Amino acid sequence: MSDRFVSLVAAARSLFMARGFARVGMRAICDRAGCSPIQAYRLGLSKEDLLAEISIQLSAEQLAGITAFMVARSDESVFEFVERYLVLLYDSDIRNMGIRRESAAYGWMWSSKYEDRIRQQVLALLSPIASLLAERGYDAVDARCYTIWALYYVGYRSAVVANQDAAACFAGIAGSVALALRK
């Protein structure tokens, strides 16, 4: 990645957090990054692509923090592990709520080149859960993981809509997660 690319993503991230995606134009992003819109477009970046890059960056930060969750504690049930893991992800997403909210609202506008990268990140974020389910002899691991991921976003709405904390987000989906984890 070029310095200009990094500057544009950083500028977009701070502006989107402060003002929201819809209220920020490419000119403002480029002014903050010290370049012209033409230079951004030459890099193949639209405003929507910058939002995708920021979302990918946030997920990469989450992935960097999951190493402690690669193995469940010996006295921990699968449900307890999933709860602990999702609360960690909720904490991260709540800290970055402005960008995550914008990504949910405008993600449909991203270039298709981002879909595979984002899908790979989702799979990587699900890998600690998938590994534990496989280790503990669960069937339909992929289906269970995708269900948990869908439930994750239902719980996250509690933070977005009702300004709830990570524990409350999980509490709202705990019953459904328990069903998804039934053997």
Side-chain angles (χ1 to χ4, degrees):
M1 285 185 251
S2 71
D3 290 344
R4 177 145 300 133
F5 179 89
V6 171
S7 295
L8 283 162
V9 173
R13 185 173 178 169
S14 69
L15 288 169
F16 293 164
M17 287 288 284
R19 298 187 215 162
F21 178 82
R23 293 189 188 118
V24 176
M26 278 302 286
R27 181 159 305 283
I29 295 167
C30 292
D31 286 349
R32 169 90 44 107
C35 68
S36 72
I38 292 196
Q39 291 171 310
Y41 295 129
R42 282 185 184 149
L43 289 173
L45 293 172
S46 66
K47 186 171 100 165
E48 294 78 12
D49 291 341
L50 287 167
L51 182 60
E53 288 290 345
I54 295 162
S55 185
I56 288 168
Q57 188 179 71
L58 290 175
S59 293
E61 291 167 9
Q62 285 179 315
L63 286 166
I66 67 170
T67 54
F69 285 90
M70 296 311 280
V71 177
R73 296 187 302 244
S74 62
D75 63 337
E76 191 172 43
S77 71
V78 172
F79 180 85
E80 290 167 333
F81 175 84
V82 170
E83 177 181 15
R84 184 167 56 94
Y85 184 69
L86 293 184
V87 166
L88 173 80
L89 294 180
Y90 282 136
D91 278 334
S92 173
D93 281 340
I94 289 168
R95 280 192 309 276
N96 295 293
M97 188 181 304
I99 292 294
R100 289 300 196 197
R101 185 180 311 148
E102 300 294 330
S103 295
Y106 296 100
W108 64 273
M109 299 172 75
W110 296 338
S111 298
S112 59
K113 66 183 176 183
Y114 291 102
E115 289 306 311
D116 189 51
R117 288 174 63 196
I118 291 166
R119 195 173 311 112
Q120 291 303 317
Q121 281 186 316
V122 167
L123 293 174
L125 284 168
L126 288 169
S127 67
I129 296 171
S131 295
L132 181 61
L133 292 176
E135 174 188 310
R136 302 268 176 104
Y138 279 77
D139 64 350
V141 169
D142 289 346
R144 291 173 192 269
C145 285
Y146 289 130
T147 299
I148 290 168
W149 195 250
L151 290 169
Y152 176 84
Y153 279 102
V154 170
Y156 186 62
R157 277 193 59 75
S158 297
V160 173
V161 174
N163 199 30
Q164 296 195 345
D165 67 8
C169 291
F170 185 80
I173 64 167
S176 297
V177 169
L179 286 173
L181 295 174
R182 273 193 189 160
K183 273 191 163 181

